[in-house]
Amino acid sequence: MLFGNTAPRPLNTYPKWVYVIVALAMFYAIFYSLPNFYGEDPALQLSGPKNTVVSEAQIERIKVALAEANLVVKAVEQQDKLWLIRFTSTDDQLKAQQLTQRLLGGEYNVAMNLAPSTPEWLAALGASPMKLGLDLRGGIHFLMEIDMDTALTKKEQQYAEEFRSVMRDNKLDYTSSQRNQTGGIEVRFRSAEDRDAALTKLRRQYQDLQFIETQEGGLFLLKATMTEAALSEARTEAVQQNTAILRNRVNELGVAEPLIQRQGAERIVVQLPGIQDSARAKQLLSATATLEFRMVNQERSVTDALSGRVPPDSEIFQDINGNPVLLKKQVLLTGDHITGAFPGVDENGMPKATIKLDSKGGTKMTQVSRQNIGKPMASVLIEYKTDYVEVDGKLIPKPPRKVETVINQATIQSQLGSIFDITGLDSPEEARNLSILLKSGALIAPIQIVEERTIGPSLGKENIEAGLNAAVVGVGAVLAFMLVYYRTFGLVANIAVLVNIGLIVSLMSSIGAVLTLPGIAALVLTVGMAVDANVLIYERIKDELRKGTSPALAIDRGFDRAFGTIADANVTTFIAALALFGIGSGPVKGFAVTLTIGIPTTVFTALVVSRALTNLIYGGRNLKNIWI
């Protein structure tokens, strides 16, 4: 029986289930580290505009064009909504990128990437290669700064607009409510009574603002400024919202393991491993966008407006198909108030997009929709895109250009609140795309690239080779020393060390941890710690032999009495690794990730795997002597 035998075991033997666990661990270490030996193919990832798919007819034209240009294609495959074209060399990949982009046009994304070449049978069993960081794989590093002055200006303009709604709702007589050029919001009244009444209302509703009452000529003024807490919250909101937008845009590039995180009060770090198309990444990341809701002007015809007779209160826009739409100039609501957007179906089974607003946006939408039931409302996406021109081999940004697109028109069926539906959509796909646009379209402030570094794939390859060479030399020297000095026990320790490395690689591959150059250093350090644990055990065995203890008993006591020392040393190191992981960033975090994973595997292989192997060799035998 596997688990049922309770009779005393001979010295230096394990229950069978322990051997089963060790065998499974060794199989896991070997099998799930295999994908890392197959490498990666230089590839192009193709995707259509607005999350659409490149058609098979377009793919066939691309294949023909690549063949005519003598570019060797290794494989063409579809992955969800992306097409992947694999090549045998980076030279062919570079040439094919320019050719493919010309064939598809600027609206399509043609991103250069490195695609894993894992066999299908391995991938089907959940095995995948370890993900490499920017320093090993190559890629692009951007440091982006948010225009915080613009963000705070928009926030104050929003307050001024909300103040007007408060005045109207409470029937208070005011002459103006606007943002001052020097900062702050100013509301003007004709009487002190109206000002005092407004102050009571506003103080109750806006506790994050400071109010001052003054008088200027015959007018009574109320000035509001944001408190330090409100300013800090607005800055944090700007960074968080822009980070979310950047993450959505990076997804368009098809990057496997992007790093997008806040750095300081106003900056965001974006790292795109495997991406080599710097210009395309800049275009996508630098584009800023916002969202507006406006009423459609049904009183005048679009044809008249196109002929030059545009009503003073209206403007002409274009929808996503290029058709003209006449909209009122008044902006009912901006996308700053959207907190969520989800696709779904209505009671008739038709696709819809459910929009969720914050409390202020919900109040405003209720007022607007109550006054416009039965009338169509349009959603306008406004993007500020930056184009680049090449001057003396360098890409120089041109002034941002404004692109306004009507992404949806829907009739208001009833009074809306903080949650409402946009219906009249053609398909579930359109509902999903609209939800994505609404969630990712509202950028709170423009961002600028203040630092850019490109690490080419060749440099990443050199880093990998240098790191692997250092690891091979370091690990090889340690293994050779163990084999020479401890003989059979050294061989056991070496097998345990190799299993340990396999387990670390397999675990990092399985959970999607990223290996960086400092991570390779942590891997070598972990090997040293594993060997150190075996040295402790073996020296303890030697001590027992010197005391005249029998070889079998010396082995048993060596493992048992070294356990406490090994456990204490690794626990303290594990705590330090967790601290590095929690507090550190960049290279420090890369080091901590590998070290944190490596410590438990080190303890397991040093105490369990090496003892199981030792038991298989020496267990149950009448030993007269051992070579150690």
Side-chain angles (χ1 to χ4, degrees), residues 59-89:
I59 293 296
E60 289 302 322
R61 285 200 296 274
I62 292 170
K63 283 182 183 177
V64 172
L66 294 176
E68 290 175 350
N70 295 322
L71 301 177
V72 180
V73 175
K74 183 178 179 182
V76 179
E77 54 197 68
Q78 187 173 8
Q79 298 178 348
D80 296 328
K81 292 189 173 182
L82 296 174
W83 281 93
L84 194 68
I85 304 178
R86 295 174 183 267
F87 298 89
T88 55
S89 71

Side-chain angles (χ1 to χ4, degrees), residues 416-435:
L416 306 175
S418 59
I419 298 177
F420 62 94
D421 295 336
I422 293 180
T423 57
L425 306 175
D426 291 335
S427 65
E429 188 65 24
E430 186 180 350
R432 198 177 75 84
N433 291 341
L434 178 60
S435 300

Side-chain angles (χ1 to χ4, degrees), residues 309-421:
R309 295 190 293 276
V310 181
D313 64 341
S314 302
E315 293 177 86
I316 299 176
F317 292 82
Q318 287 189 332
D319 64 14
I320 53 178
N321 298 317
N323 300 318
V325 184
L326 188 62
L327 302 182
K328 295 287 184 68
K329 283 184 178 177
Q330 184 188 7
V331 178
L332 304 177
L333 194 72
T334 64
D336 297 342
H337 295 285
I338 294 178
T339 59
F342 316 96
V345 293
D346 60 15
E347 61 274 10
N348 299 317
M350 300 302 292
K352 68 173 184 178
T354 300
I355 311 301
K356 187 177 179 183
L357 304 174
D358 59 19
S359 58
K360 293 176 183 175
T363 303
K364 190 178 292 185
M365 180 57 76
T366 300
Q367 296 169 349
V368 169
S369 59
R370 185 170 55 219
Q371 299 164 359
N372 295 283
I373 292 176
K375 298 178 183 177
M377 183 175 66
S379 308
V380 183
L381 182 68
I382 302 171
E383 296 176 282
Y384 293 88
K385 294 187 175 179
T386 303
D387 296 323
Y388 291 81
V389 292
E390 189 169 345
V391 178
D392 298 331
K394 296 182 178 178
L395 291 174
I396 307 298
K398 296 168 68 176
R401 58 184 173 90
K402 189 177 183 181
V403 180
E404 298 172 305
T405 309
V406 177
I407 58 174
N408 172 264
Q409 298 178 64
T411 301
I412 299 174
Q413 303 291 348
S414 60
Q415 180 178 308
L416 306 175
S418 59
I419 298 177
F420 62 94
D421 295 336

Side-chain angles (χ1 to χ4, degrees), residues 254-524:
V255 183
E257 283 298 321
L259 171 68
I260 303 166
Q261 65 181 23
R262 180 177 183 172
Q263 183 177 84
E266 301 177 358
R267 293 184 170 183
I268 300 171
V269 172
V270 179
Q271 291 187 349
L272 310 174
I275 291 295
Q276 302 151 34
D277 193 345
S278 164
R280 182 63 179 164
K282 278 182 183 175
Q283 286 176 347
L284 275 174
L285 296 179
S286 300
T288 59
T290 188
L291 195 71
E292 293 177 353
F293 292 98
R294 299 183 183 216
M295 297 306 300
V296 177
N297 189 341
Q298 293 180 297
E299 300 157 3
R300 300 292 183 88
S301 75
V302 178
T303 307
D304 289 346
L306 289 173
S307 62
R309 295 190 293 276
V310 181
D313 64 341
S314 302
E315 293 177 86
I316 299 176
F317 292 82
Q318 287 189 332
D319 64 14
I320 53 178
N321 298 317
N323 300 318
V325 184
L326 188 62
L327 302 182
K328 295 287 184 68
K329 283 184 178 177
Q330 184 188 7
V331 178
L332 304 177
L333 194 72
T334 64
D336 297 342
H337 295 285
I338 294 178
T339 59
F342 316 96
V345 293
D346 60 15
E347 61 274 10
N348 299 317
M350 300 302 292
K352 68 173 184 178
T354 300
I355 311 301
K356 187 177 179 183
L357 304 174
D358 59 19
S359 58
K360 293 176 183 175
T363 303
K364 190 178 292 185
M365 180 57 76
T366 300
Q367 296 169 349
V368 169
S369 59
R370 185 170 55 219
Q371 299 164 359
N372 295 283
I373 292 176
K375 298 178 183 177
M377 183 175 66
S379 308
V380 183
L381 182 68
I382 302 171
E383 296 176 282
Y384 293 88
K385 294 187 175 179
T386 303
D387 296 323
Y388 291 81
V389 292
E390 189 169 345
V391 178
D392 298 331
K394 296 182 178 178
L395 291 174
I396 307 298
K398 296 168 68 176
R401 58 184 173 90
K402 189 177 183 181
V403 180
E404 298 172 305
T405 309
V406 177
I407 58 174
N408 172 264
Q409 298 178 64
T411 301
I412 299 174
Q413 303 291 348
S414 60
Q415 180 178 308
L416 306 175
S418 59
I419 298 177
F420 62 94
D421 295 336
I422 293 180
T423 57
L425 306 175
D426 291 335
S427 65
E429 188 65 24
E430 186 180 350
R432 198 177 75 84
N433 291 341
L434 178 60
S435 300
I436 293 172
L437 279 172
L438 292 178
K439 279 192 290 188
S440 65
L443 195 62
I444 209 163
I447 49 178
Q448 290 184 333
I449 296 173
V450 295
E451 180 186 312
E452 175 191 347
R453 293 202 308 269
T454 302
I455 301 174
S458 57
L459 182 57
K461 189 176 179 182
E462 290 173 8
N463 287 339
I464 293 176
E465 290 175 354
L468 286 180
N469 288 338
V472 167
V473 171
V475 174
V478 170
L479 296 184
F481 170 80
M482 292 296 290
L483 190 60
V484 171
Y485 195 77
Y486 291 107
R487 304 183 185 184
T488 305
F489 284 88
L491 177 64
V492 169
N494 289 349
I495 294 174
V497 165
L498 294 176
V499 173
N500 187 24
I501 294 173
L503 282 175
I504 294 172
V505 172
S506 299
L507 283 171
M508 292 185 71
S509 303
S510 299
I511 66 175
V514 179
L515 180 69
T516 60
L517 204 55
I520 293 179
L523 187 63
V524 177

Side-chain angles (χ1 to χ4, degrees), residues 147-175:
D147 185 350
M148 208 54 81
D149 290 339
T150 301
L152 296 178
T153 298
K154 288 179 65 178
K155 189 72 177 176
E156 290 180 339
Q157 289 171 340
Q158 185 180 327
Y159 278 127
E161 189 177 338
E162 292 171 1
F163 285 1
R164 285 195 285 271
S165 299
V166 173
M167 303 302 123
R168 285 195 297 269
D169 292 346
N170 292 279
K171 298 186 170 114
L172 298 173
D173 188 17
Y174 71 102
T175 59

